[in-house]
Amino acid sequence: MLLDKINSPEELKKLPIGELTLLCAEIRKLILETVSCTGGHLASSLGAVELAVSLHYCLNTPEDILIWDVGHQAYAHKILTARAKKFSTLRQAGGISGFPCREESIYDCFTTGHASTSLSLALGMACAQDLSGIEKKHKIVSVIGDGTLTGGMCFEALNNAGHLQKDLLVVFNTNEMSIAPSVGALSNYLNKIISLPIYNRFRDALQDFVLKKIPRGKRLLGLAKKFEEGLKNILVPGILFEELGFRYFGPIDGHNLELLVTTLKHLLALKGPILLHVVTKKGRGYKPAEDNPENFHSIGQFDLATGASLKPEGVIAYTDIFSKKITELAKDNDKIAAISAAMPQGTGLDKFALSFPERFFDVGIAEEHMIGFAAGLARGGLRPVVAIYSTFLQRSYDQIMEEVSLQNLPVVFAIDRAGIVGEDGATHQGIFDVSFLRTIPNLAIMAPKDAQEFETMLEFAFKHNGPIAIRYPKDRVPVARPTPQRGYPESPETRNIELGRAEVLRRGKDMAIIALGSMVYPALEAADILAKEDISVELINARFAKPLDRELLEDIILRFPKMITIEEGIIDGGFGSFVKEALGNKIDVKQLGLPCEFIKQGKRDDILAKYGLNAQGIASAVKECLK
């Protein structure tokens, strides 16, 4: 196998170009065999194999800088950069990350996992290189996808790069369109001509001659440029990039290795900001992924022969509950609208979109705009729900504060993947949301313990007169079980949600435990373990991370010397910190949660166990506290 001989891009360069097609086939085979067992971002990585091979074939990495936006396309890059033998550990604890990771390899210049960032990073590096004064400049290349261009940060960087005119190559990979044969052939021919070194030397020399020797030379060049732009607008969709200050080449076939290598070699010799547009096919080489690329964008384990998911039958996730309930609520309330940032399927809004297409909005990878847009809908009388992963909500902090909470608008934030997400690792762990949301005035924060409570919280959220967030984990929904006691003595049943009101699940005499959301059922199991050792704990389901149930807290102070708070989020500034701040020194509060650090990939249950956030860990913490 060719792949056995490739331990670095230097060894890749020794292959004749005619053998690169076979190498690409071997890379695809390895990606498929691995991801079918580990899960991962499959369709985009299969589509970018030839692109990764061509870039490393033409660049001198790691001296030349190659930055992959997000990293969904980067599996072939990992395989080519001394990680082929470790690739079977993809997304596993102690293995290699599912995204580019700076700690993992010198070929990964940045740890990436969020979209629309690579152009800014690349431009910054290009400016730093110029300011460093080094004689031999390294090439700097940013690879972006078509989804990247839906993010405002990408356009800000494009605009700035065109203005600064630094040496920078942007490879723009679109995979949602095909090139019509006639346009593709004409475009390929045109790009072969205009990327040739002799053409560009002639172009530059002619421009210099016209400006210096011919009267009104600037006007002639302006007319020539307008003609060239008009021609390009007819032949290729590059006029936007030209207007932003880039020289545009493409679109070309992103699976044609010879064309890719030839074009890249020519373009890397040019100065200034260059954009190469390539068109690839998601899922290339694996028919199930080619036919259903969205299903194979991010996938768990699957049967390689059929493409069928190996997700256990009968398992219901919180996303499934959200998907069903939000669609039901919208049937009875025509004011409910739903917004996704390019993730309708991942957030469960795909069913809503089918049922109410006029009330569903996919804004693309533009989280800042998403929240501002939601504020506009709410101000106009609608009841918008923003469905978003916790890790991506971080990108819209200013809009949550200024456009929504400052105006006290009734926007519902459905925060999926809150807590440990597992195999996607440090860039995707949703562990910071409570700590950065709880300081925002007017915003209430809820977390359900099970499916029934989640549905009730959604009903409550759309009646609440102000902004409200519901955070829920990337996890199966626990099977609800009856509890010995519910509510306060004066209220035997607290099935209905009241703002800032907690739920007493179990009475006890030795210690109080307040658990938030996903930690309630592990705490219940811990209470059972402790009961066998004659330790009696009072268990409270917080329901709200904000506002706190201060009446209940005052009652706890009177009856217990110690209390434990439990949350699936960072301790620093989180729910437990809020409780501790509220109570001052009136009671000893021990906080169980996650450390304020970037937690690497691994199975969700294993990570929670590591930090004592399972039944055994909670029981041990209680016993240690009681000592």
Side-chain angles (χ1 to χ4, degrees), residues 24-296:
C24 289
E26 292 179 7
I27 290 172
R28 279 198 174 86
K29 183 173 182 288
L30 178 57
I31 291 174
L32 282 164
E33 289 173 349
T34 300
V35 178
S36 66
C37 297
T38 66
H41 291 89
L42 183 66
S44 296
S45 277
L46 288 177
V49 171
E50 285 85 1
L51 183 56
V53 168
S54 300
L55 283 165
H56 281 293
Y57 197 75
C58 296
L59 290 168
N60 183 33
T61 54
E63 286 78 17
D64 289 338
I65 303 299
L66 177 58
I67 305 174
W68 297 84
D69 202 81
V70 188
H72 293 159
Q73 309 177 67
Y75 288 175
H77 158 77
K78 283 179 173 273
I79 289 168
L80 292 167
T81 52
R83 285 170 277 185
K85 292 186 171 104
K86 295 180 183 176
F87 197 67
S88 60
T89 68
L90 183 73
R91 304 172 80 239
Q92 306 303 298
I96 63 173
S97 168
F99 298 92
C101 179
R102 189 180 173 192
E103 296 175 12
E104 186 178 288
S105 172
I106 58 172
Y107 294 94
D108 296 354
C109 193
F110 289 91
T111 297
T112 56
H114 288 191
S116 307
T117 63
S118 67
L119 264 170
S120 299
L121 301 173
L123 180 59
M125 292 204 72
C127 289
Q129 181 171 245
D130 283 353
L131 289 170
S132 70
I134 58 172
E135 269 189 50
K136 185 176 179 182
K137 301 289 177 66
H138 302 304
K139 302 298 179 183
I140 298 174
V141 180
S142 164
V143 183
I144 65 174
D146 45 10
T148 297
L149 282 185
T150 63
M153 184 177 176
C154 183
F155 278 101
E156 292 168 22
L158 279 169
N159 181 56
N160 194 206
H163 169 70
L164 292 174
Q165 287 293 300
K166 298 296 181 183
D167 292 346
L168 180 69
L169 173 61
V170 177
V171 179
F172 176 38
N173 178 18
T174 59
N175 41 39
E176 297 302 331
M177 64 182 82
S178 61
I179 310 171
S182 58
V183 175
L186 189 55
S187 171
N188 286 344
Y189 178 68
L190 176 66
N191 282 288
K192 275 184 178 179
I193 293 172
I194 63 177
S195 67
L196 284 172
I198 190 170
Y199 171 85
N200 284 281
R201 285 197 298 271
F202 174 75
R203 182 179 184 269
D204 293 340
L206 179 62
Q207 180 171 302
D208 188 57
F209 175 77
V210 170
L211 286 174
K212 291 179 179 178
K213 305 292 184 182
I214 299 179
R216 294 185 295 175
K218 282 186 179 179
R219 185 182 172 198
L220 286 173
L221 280 178
L223 291 171
K225 185 172 176 60
K226 283 187 177 181
F227 174 77
E228 184 181 0
E229 285 173 353
L231 183 65
K232 282 193 172 186
N233 200 28
I234 296 169
L235 298 177
V236 292
I239 194 69
L240 167 66
F241 303 107
E242 295 274 355
E243 290 295 330
L244 286 169
F246 279 74
R247 287 196 62 193
Y248 172 90
F249 299 86
I252 65 171
D253 182 356
H255 301 297
N256 184 329
L257 281 161
E258 186 174 350
L259 179 61
L260 275 172
V261 169
T262 302
T263 305
L264 282 169
K265 284 183 175 179
H266 290 161
L267 297 187
L268 288 168
L270 299 181
K271 297 292 185 182
I274 308 293
L275 189 136
L276 172 62
H277 181 180
V278 303
V279 179
T280 60
K281 185 172 181 61
K282 281 187 175 181
R284 173 87 170 191
Y286 185 57
K287 194 168 189 315
E290 288 182 3
D291 293 342
N292 296 287
E294 191 173 357
N295 291 341
F296 284 87

Side-chain angles (χ1 to χ4, degrees), residues 371-372 375 398-409:
I371 307 305
D398 185 59
Q399 287 68 40
I400 297 168
M401 181 174 286
E402 295 289 323
E403 277 66 64
V404 175
S405 297
L406 178 63
Q407 327 294 329
N408 200 28
L409 292 170

Side-chain angles (χ1 to χ4, degrees), residues 405-543:
S405 297
L406 178 63
Q407 327 294 329
N408 200 28
L409 292 170
V411 174
V412 177
F413 296 94
I415 308 175
D416 201 341
R417 270 63 167 179
I420 294 297
V421 298
E423 288 84 353
D424 278 339
T427 57
H428 281 59
Q429 310 287 16
I431 61 178
F432 303 103
D433 54 271
V434 172
S435 64
F436 72 73
L437 290 177
R438 81 164 178 90
T439 58
I440 299 178
N442 295 332
L443 178 65
I445 308 167
M446 297 187 287
K449 70 178 186 296
D450 55 29
Q452 179 183 325
E453 189 165 70
F454 188 21
E455 292 184 354
T456 309
M457 284 181 173
L458 283 166
E459 293 169 7
F460 174 82
F462 285 104
K463 296 173 185 173
H464 179 64
N465 188 27
I468 191 163
I470 310 174
R471 73 184 307 264
Y472 46 98
K474 181 185 181 182
D475 195 21
R476 56 196 176 278
V477 177
V479 178
R481 64 179 188 175
T483 52
Q485 294 170 296
R486 285 181 180 270
Y488 303 110
E490 69 272 15
S491 176
E493 183 64 47
T494 56
R495 196 175 296 274
N496 293 325
I497 303 291
E498 296 178 44
L499 184 66
R501 196 76 158 165
E503 176 189 32
V504 179
L505 297 174
R506 188 169 184 146
R507 292 295 184 186
K509 58 183 176 59
D510 293 320
M511 176 176 280
I513 297 176
I514 304 182
L516 180 67
S518 60
M519 290 292 101
V520 170
Y521 276 86
L524 272 170
E525 292 172 23
D528 291 340
I529 293 170
L530 293 165
K532 293 174 184 175
E533 300 180 38
D534 293 325
I535 298 173
S536 172
V537 295
E538 184 151 321
L539 179 60
I540 295 120
N541 167 24
R543 282 186 167 170

